[in-house]
Amino acid sequence: MYVVDTYDVIVIGAGHAGCEAALASARLGARTLMATLNLDNIALMPCNPAVGGPGKSHLVREIDALGGQMGINTDLTCLQMRMLNTGKGPAVYSLRAQSDKKLYQMTMTKTLENQDHLDVKQLMITDLITEDGRVTGVQTELGEVYRASCVILATGTYLKGKIIIGECTYSGGPIGQRSAEDLSASLVKAGLKLMRFKTGTPARVDRRTLRTEEMAVQEGDTDGHAFSFLSERKNRNKECCWLTFTNEKTHKIIRDNLDRAPMCNGIIQGIGPRYCPSIESKIVRFADKKRHQLFIEPEGQSTEEMYVQGMSTSMPIDVQYEFLRTIPGLEDVKIMRPGYAIEYDCLDPLQLTPSLETKKVSGLFSAGQSNGTSGYEEAAAQGLIAGINAARKVQGKDAFILTRSEAYIGVLIDDLVTKGTQEPYRMMTSRSEYRLVLRQDNADLRLTQKGYDIGLVSQERYDLFCAKKKAISDGIVALKSISITPSKAMAEKLDALGTAPVHTGITAYELLRRQDITYDKLCQTFDLPELDADVKEEIEIMIKYEGYIGRQMEQVEKMNRLEQKLMPDDIVYADIDTLSGEARQKLDEIRPRSLGQASRISGVSPADITALLIYLEQYQREGSHVSKCPHPCHGSHGIYTGRTSGAAVLPV
């Protein structure tokens, strides 16, 4: 063995999880190595080159608020931006950007290569080196050894990856890359349990062979948008997308060839994503549906490749050609890259603590699709947290853990480490019980202070954030200071604003609760300060949904009382006779850090929680204290950070 170098943190993988992990670790001062199979494919977007969308946009905004890079990189490289779900409430508004695939990679690569404390190397990691239950480094296929106190797995879909197109199968990573064939065995040897998942992607087609006039144009929003707090809100649209649909002829071709579909004939063994199924799965599962929508989206300004969103497939290539050419606008289509499925190994996330460190191997963290998730945004969010906690472990600091009531990142990680997953996990707004306070618009108000305290948010950015908070506070004070009394003159003013007259004295703050009134309308009549668009948006949401937000904050406080009841390190669940057998087994496997986490474990009933409450009361009466315990999930290098205050909605 040839020991090349020693680092604080080594990140295995340079996808979206690896990029955020490496940047976070290095920016916190840890000497970091990021190892990738191919330097030309850093931040690769092997599926749709798009960022955001329902649930996912919340993650991107939270990554940005904590000092991550994905939002900044997306703003710099996007081709089109649209705000989705605007016909619904602000809790589910979702910004989505179509990115330039190559530009996204190049921009992120430049950021990584110019980051202090970070080395980027092309390496095939084959072995994890451990000593006495802790990680000490990695070994490459060339026999090189790199020592480190912490290692982060961010291997994506590369662990024993297998590409499947019809009857054709071969070892490989996404888009013709190498797969990591040996690392899985090393992880199993270290005592980790692996699962086998599957994901897929549609064909890429040649823009020049499309009849776009037969499809519906999908323009971006003309309103200014941005993912990052640091980016200017502006019109970023450079390209448009198109909408078309499958039809009965398409479906018949697929049904007639199901015996050749790897999803149906047994070639594919891995478990695929329920919420992003292949087109052949859609045809089977939704047999009564006459058509499925497809979005034809550009992959970049320097390529003619177009992405057929909604038509992921692993059917044989001749079948792919046949059914694509039944779709309006694609009658003459030429395929540049066929659709394919990929099977890969990943960790059972129940083996992780909330800091994303493995329970079996001290210092080994895991993030992204190696934890059984799907999506760039889910991967980046986990990478950020893993990078923060690896650096903090090296530095002897407490782990940084977000709760479900603080962030969608908290929901994501808590779901994984508490409930596990039997299929590729995808973030959706419906997964959060507190989605009215966890909106994408207030991610900075919820998390920037935390990012600053950790050390990832710069002073310049923090000063801008404080200025925004003050502007919101000043705007609300101004609204409350303006009295509106019933009079003929006032009735005329309100009529001009398109709203009904008042019959009792109210303030402009109370008037803004009306759905037909905006801050801009009030500025036409009353002396109010001019505010930035994001400040006005925040004020309007806070006031119009004040009652709903207040009730949800009460729910948060009730749950926090359970979250603050930490489980002692020496608890032996098998000795608590009042627990059910299933609860004892699940609690011992997961080792929840708090009663709140215990209540979310599948198989742990309300009666079991009552039994644990009684146990904790007895434990405390006997003179022990559980306010800070040394359990690996939250103790010697971890702390429960999680009381949510009104900062989530900015108290004024």
Side-chain angles (χ1 to χ4, degrees):
M1 292 192 301
Y2 170 52
V3 178
V4 179
D5 209 340
T6 298
Y7 292 88
D8 295 319
V9 177
I10 293 174
V11 179
I12 305 176
H16 303 282
C19 290
E20 294 293 348
L23 287 170
S25 173
R27 287 168 176 173
L28 291 177
R31 188 162 184 261
T32 305
L33 167 66
M34 185 173 74
T36 174
L37 291 172
N38 191 335
L39 286 172
D40 296 329
N41 287 308
I42 291 171
L44 178 68
M45 291 177 150
C47 200
N48 193 348
V51 174
K56 296 170 178 282
S57 65
H58 296 65
L59 292 174
V60 181
R61 285 274 176 86
E62 290 176 355
I63 292 166
D64 181 71
L66 289 168
Q69 196 67 26
M70 177 173 265
I72 295 170
N73 210 61
T74 302
D75 291 341
L76 290 172
T77 62
C78 79
L79 299 172
Q80 183 191 92
M81 276 194 176
R82 297 180 68 194
M83 188 69 76
L84 309 179
N85 293 337
T86 54
K88 303 177 182 178
V92 295
Y93 288 177
S94 301
L95 185 60
R96 183 183 185 275
Q98 190 72 18
S99 290
D100 186 309
K101 178 173 66 176
K102 289 295 184 184
L103 188 58
Y104 189 98
Q105 289 180 251
M106 289 188 292
T107 305
M108 186 66 84
T109 300
K110 183 178 180 180
T111 299
L112 289 157
E113 290 181 345
N114 288 280
Q115 176 61 51
D116 293 339
H117 310 298
L118 177 61
D119 289 344
V120 182
K121 293 178 180 285
Q122 182 167 301
L123 303 168
M124 168 68 84
I125 307 298
T126 56
D127 288 285
L128 189 71
I129 303 173
T130 62
E131 297 175 13
D132 300 323
R134 63 184 180 88
V135 70
T136 59
V138 298
Q139 183 171 331
T140 76
E141 63 181 345
L142 301 180
E144 305 159 285
V145 170
Y146 292 86
R147 298 289 186 186
S149 300
C150 289
V151 172
I152 301 173
L153 293 173
T155 49
T157 61
Y158 288 83
L159 284 182
K160 297 193 77 172
K162 182 169 78 171
I163 302 297
I164 303 166
I165 307 172
E167 297 84 3
C168 176
T169 67
Y170 56 91
S171 296
I175 313 185
Q177 302 302 304
R178 296 178 70 189
S179 61
E181 291 297 306
D182 299 320
L183 186 55
S184 289
S186 184
L187 296 174
V188 172
K189 184 179 178 181
L192 297 171
K193 176 185 174 184
L194 300 183
M195 306 184 295
R196 191 74 172 166
F197 278 0
K198 167 264 175 188
T199 189
T201 190
R204 269 60 160 195
V205 300
D206 191 330
R207 182 199 304 252
R208 295 163 296 184
T209 64
L210 302 180
R211 301 179 187 176
T212 54
E213 68 277 3
E214 295 183 18
M215 302 183 244
V217 176
Q218 298 287 294
E219 299 281 2
D221 292 345
T222 55
D223 294 338
H225 295 305
F227 271 111
S228 176
F229 178 79
L230 294 175
S231 301
E232 178 187 355
R233 286 194 174 195
K234 64 180 183 179
N235 186 332
R236 301 175 184 278
N237 300 311
K238 303 179 182 70
E239 297 275 353
C240 67
C241 303
W242 289 270
L243 172 66
T244 186
F245 294 88
T246 64
N247 52 60
E248 286 287 2
K249 189 175 181 181
T250 316
H251 299 181
K252 184 178 186 305
I253 291 170
I254 293 171
R255 283 193 296 267
D256 289 347
N257 287 278
L258 285 177
D259 60 318
R260 300 178 64 198
M263 285 293 295
C264 303
N265 63 17
I267 292 178
I268 290 178
Q269 300 294 318
I271 302 170
R274 182 189 317 180
Y275 301 104
C276 189
S278 65
I279 188 64
E280 47 268 37
S281 295
K282 290 181 187 178
I283 300 307
V284 172
R285 284 167 52 186
F286 309 107
D288 59 330
K289 200 163 185 181
K290 301 300 182 185
R291 65 178 191 171
H292 296 276
Q293 67 179 14
L294 306 173
F295 290 96
I296 313 300
E297 300 173 324
E299 294 231 320
Q301 291 189 295
S302 60
T303 179
E304 299 300 326
E305 282 187 273
M306 301 290 283
Y307 185 91
V308 187
Q309 183 190 333
M311 210 156 204
S312 174
T313 186
S314 57
M315 295 288 274
I317 188 63
D318 59 303
V319 180
Q320 291 189 38
Y321 264 112
E322 190 176 2
F323 67 60
L324 280 171
R325 287 176 172 170
T326 66
I327 296 165
L330 277 68
E331 294 89 347
D332 305 316
V333 73
K334 290 184 179 179
I335 294 175
M336 297 181 74
R337 304 186 203 224
Y340 63 88
I342 181 169
E343 286 187 341
Y344 56 95
D345 288 347
C346 57
L347 271 66
D348 182 341
L350 291 177
Q351 300 169 104
L352 304 173
T353 71
S355 69
L356 294 181
E357 185 177 12
T358 62
K359 298 172 186 175
K360 288 278 188 181
V361 183
S362 177
L364 177 63
F365 294 77
S366 184
Q369 286 182 275
S370 57
N371 288 344
T373 59
S374 68
Y376 309 144
E377 302 84 355
E378 292 89 341
Q382 293 172 74
L384 178 70
I385 299 302
I388 290 171
N389 284 326
R392 289 175 71 86
K393 184 178 177 71
V394 169
Q395 295 160 359
K397 297 178 180 178
D398 293 328
F400 176 69
I401 298 170
L402 292 169
T403 67
R404 299 182 69 88
S405 58
E406 291 176 311
Y408 271 90
I409 295 176
V411 174
L412 166 66
I413 293 175
D414 183 69
D415 278 352
L416 291 173
V417 305
T418 304
K419 303 174 184 178
T421 185
Q422 300 301 312
E423 62 188 15
Y425 178 103
R426 177 179 181 174
M427 178 50 66
M428 297 175 287
T429 54
S430 59
R431 294 195 187 273
S432 172
E433 58 270 51
Y434 308 121
R435 65 183 187 177
L436 191 54
V437 297
L438 302 183
R439 307 182 309 274
Q440 64 171 15
D441 62 86
N442 70 352
D444 53 341
L445 301 179
R446 291 184 278 115
L447 298 176
T448 299
Q449 183 66 55
K450 293 180 182 293
Y452 180 71
D453 293 341
I454 291 168
L456 281 181
V457 171
S458 68
Q459 187 64 49
E460 179 183 7
R461 176 178 180 147
Y462 184 68
D463 290 343
L464 291 171
F465 162 70
C466 291
K468 176 181 175 179
K469 282 180 65 177
K470 185 176 186 304
I472 293 172
S473 179
D474 290 348
I476 289 176
V477 169
L479 287 165
K480 289 182 175 179
S481 69
I482 295 174
S483 297
I484 300 172
T485 55
S487 69
K488 182 179 180 181
M490 182 56 68
E492 291 174 352
K493 290 181 180 180
L494 295 179
D495 183 64
L497 295 179
T499 193
V502 297
H503 301 291
T504 59
I506 62 172
T507 64
Y509 180 97
E510 294 169 297
L511 187 63
L512 188 52
R513 287 177 178 158
R514 296 183 177 183
Q515 291 302 308
D516 55 359
I517 291 295
T518 63
Y519 188 90
D520 283 337
K521 282 187 176 182
L522 293 179
C523 284
Q524 299 172 19
T525 302
F526 305 104
D527 184 21
L528 289 168
E530 290 292 330
L531 300 173
D532 291 339
D534 57 338
V535 174
K536 289 184 288 189
E537 176 188 38
E538 202 60 47
I539 288 174
E540 289 181 9
I541 291 173
M542 289 168 60
I543 293 174
K544 292 182 185 297
Y545 295 89
E546 184 177 31
Y548 298 104
I549 291 171
R551 285 194 288 274
Q552 192 147 101
M553 291 306 300
E554 291 175 4
Q555 297 170 359
V556 168
E557 291 301 322
K558 288 179 181 177
M559 178 51 71
N560 278 341
R561 288 195 283 273
L562 289 180
E563 299 290 354
Q564 290 159 10
K565 293 184 182 294
L566 301 181
M567 307 304 295
D569 177 50
D570 57 358
I571 186 170
V572 180
Y573 293 106
D575 292 345
I576 305 177
D577 295 336
T578 48
L579 289 174
S580 69
E582 183 181 8
R584 291 180 211 172
Q585 184 266 323
K586 291 289 186 66
L587 289 165
D588 188 59
E589 177 187 7
I590 296 172
R591 306 295 298 180
R593 74 178 188 275
S594 70
L595 200 61
Q597 185 183 4
S599 71
R600 295 187 292 274
I601 296 174
S602 174
V604 177
S605 69
D608 294 320
I609 296 302
T610 299
L612 288 175
L613 267 171
I614 294 170
Y615 171 86
L616 289 177
E617 289 172 1
Q618 292 172 340
Y619 186 89
Q620 290 172 319
R621 280 199 300 269
E622 291 170 1
S624 298
H625 302 282
V626 295
S627 59
K628 175 78 180 278
C629 74
H631 188 277
C633 289
H634 51 82
S636 59
H637 64 274
I639 189 168
Y640 172 55
T641 63
R643 180 177 173 82
T644 297
S645 70
V649 291
L650 191 65
V652 293

